[in-house]
Amino acid sequence: MRTQIKNARILAIGLVALFLLGATAGEATAEQQIGVVDSQRIFAEYDKAREAENVFQEEMRAWATELEGMESELINLQEQIRTQSLLLSQEKLDDLQRQLDQKRQAYEGRREEILDPQSGLAVARNEELVRPINEQVSTVVERIGAEGDYAIILDIATVNAFYFDDAIDLTDEILEGLATAED
């Protein structure tokens, strides 16, 4: 999600710069408009986005349960070593320590596999779930932009907007477009 927001912010800033350059060069026509949308609101109110978020949260809970189970095994084995160290032979104690080291490595590897912020399963799954929604939103925004002769449509969730007139907010129109696209 953060990468998408960062990319959207860079894209929005680039689009603003292009718009301003075009406007100063006299290329923007008087009929063209500026519009804004609130992607955070779209993701909060669009049914498919909420469904995707629920799926993602359910999968995250399953991964968390898996990691908690592995962590519990580590704690139990550490406790076994601590409480039985005086009763066990050095060979058995070394064997338990090897098991602990292997389980710790397995836990850390699985944790990294799931939660790595660059290439983890969670990041990949989130992108997989969000990609079709982003494509749908982009399609509706592009259609509305072309039909309404908008020069630029900005996402106020990713661009710092200190003020904008509610009259240029297209979020409701985008949500309606997404709803009709589902039918």
Side-chain angles (χ1 to χ4, degrees), residues 1-22:
M1 227 21 133
R2 287 185 182 158
T3 302
Q4 292 167 336
I5 290 173
K6 182 179 176 184
N7 291 342
R9 184 170 286 176
I10 291 169
L11 177 64
I13 291 169
L15 289 173
V16 169
L18 286 174
F19 174 72
L20 293 175
L21 286 173

Side-chain angles (χ1 to χ4, degrees), residues 6-77:
K6 182 179 176 184
N7 291 342
R9 184 170 286 176
I10 291 169
L11 177 64
I13 291 169
L15 289 173
V16 169
L18 286 174
F19 174 72
L20 293 175
L21 286 173
T24 59
E27 294 174 13
T29 64
E31 299 88 35
Q32 290 185 319
Q33 306 177 72
I34 295 175
V36 296
V37 297
D38 184 349
S39 64
Q40 286 181 337
R41 189 171 142 222
I42 290 170
F43 271 79
E45 294 180 20
Y46 182 40
D47 288 340
K48 286 187 179 181
R50 286 194 307 244
E51 290 169 13
E53 177 66 19
N54 289 339
V55 168
F56 181 72
Q57 290 303 323
E58 186 176 312
E59 291 177 13
M60 285 299 296
R61 280 190 293 276
W63 283 324
T65 300
E66 176 186 352
L67 291 174
E68 287 168 3
M70 293 175 82
E71 191 173 4
S72 179
E73 287 179 21
L74 283 172
I75 291 169
N76 289 339
L77 196 51

Side-chain angles (χ1 to χ4, degrees), residues 84-97:
Q84 296 180 7
S85 63
L86 297 175
L87 304 172
L88 298 174
S89 69
Q90 188 61 43
E91 183 180 321
K92 181 63 176 167
L93 200 55
D94 290 344
D95 184 47
L96 288 174
Q97 188 60 49

